[in-house]
């Protein structure tokens, strides 16, 4: 939606596993925003190393990007894991990782006044095919 910079504003640095990078940049090279990812100096591409076997276990239920994101979060112990898919969120919470999703990010954007209309961003995302329930958009507005 042209607001990738908000993640940098919120978190300072975002670490992305190889599978997510491949999905968003290599496979998505024609998608809107893929160029922004390439140019964002605050995004660090990092492969999963010490928890590579975790990826194999998680791949039974999750796609490669979610599995690598969870495994990398286990390695790095970040302040937050950004993950939206329900099963991935449940697995990350089960192993004790702190998580948020796009709605949580947009609530933080609103609270820190980094954008004048974070609920509008959510609506725009919904218009572009991202599933966000109206009640979640209301949560952003009411935050």
């Amino acid at each position: 939606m042209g607001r990738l910079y908000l993640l940098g504003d919120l978190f300072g640095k975002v670490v992305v596993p190889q599978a997510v990078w491949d999905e968003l940049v290599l496979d998505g090279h024609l998608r809107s925003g893929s160029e922004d990812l390439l140019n964002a100096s605050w995004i660090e591409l990092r492969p999963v190393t010490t928890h590579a076997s975790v990826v194999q276990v998680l791949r039974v239920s999750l796609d490669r990007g979610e599995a690598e994101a969870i495994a990398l979060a286990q390695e790095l112990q970040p302040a937050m894991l950004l993950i939206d898919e329900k099963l991935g969120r449940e697995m990350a919470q089960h192993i004790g990782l702190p998580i948020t999703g796009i709605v949580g990010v947009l609530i933080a954007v609103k609270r820190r006044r980094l954008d004048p209309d974070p609920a509008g961003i959510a609506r725009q995302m919904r218009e572009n095919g991202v599933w966000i329930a109206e009640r979640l958009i209301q949560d952003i507005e009411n935050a």
Side-chain angles (χ1 to χ4, degrees):
M1 305 293 93
R3 293 188 182 83
L4 182 66
Y5 64 88
L6 291 171
L7 289 175
D9 291 350
L10 279 174
F11 300 111
K13 178 172 99 172
V14 175
V15 179
V16 178
Q18 186 68 53
V20 172
W21 183 265
D22 291 350
E23 180 182 330
L24 297 175
V25 176
L26 300 181
D27 300 339
H29 69 280
L30 297 176
R31 285 188 199 162
S32 172
S34 62
E35 188 73 25
D36 295 339
L37 283 166
L38 286 169
N39 296 321
S41 62
W42 47 269
I43 293 179
E44 178 185 338
L45 171 62
R46 177 128 15 133
V48 176
T49 55
T50 59
H51 285 76
S53 61
V54 172
V55 174
Q56 298 307 317
V57 171
L58 293 171
R59 288 283 290 130
V60 172
S61 302
L62 302 175
D63 72 21
R64 185 174 153 233
E66 291 157 343
E68 284 191 16
I70 291 170
L72 190 59
Q74 278 192 294
E75 287 180 21
L76 301 177
Q77 292 298 305
M80 195 66 58
L81 170 63
L82 177 57
I83 188 166
D84 276 310
E85 195 273 327
K86 184 180 179 185
L87 186 56
R89 290 173 67 91
E90 289 171 355
M91 288 184 169
Q93 284 180 308
H94 180 73
I95 58 176
L97 294 171
I99 65 164
T100 193
I102 191 61
V103 173
V105 166
L106 291 173
I107 288 171
V109 164
K110 179 172 183 179
R111 288 181 177 156
R112 290 191 47 197
R113 297 185 174 129
L114 298 174
D115 188 276
D117 187 18
I121 297 171
R123 285 191 179 88
Q124 186 180 10
M125 291 176 72
R126 187 169 62 185
E127 289 168 8
N128 284 283
V130 176
W131 184 88
I132 301 177
E134 185 59 33
R135 71 172 176 77
L136 296 176
I137 294 173
Q138 295 299 317
D139 289 346
I140 298 167
E141 288 178 336
N142 295 330

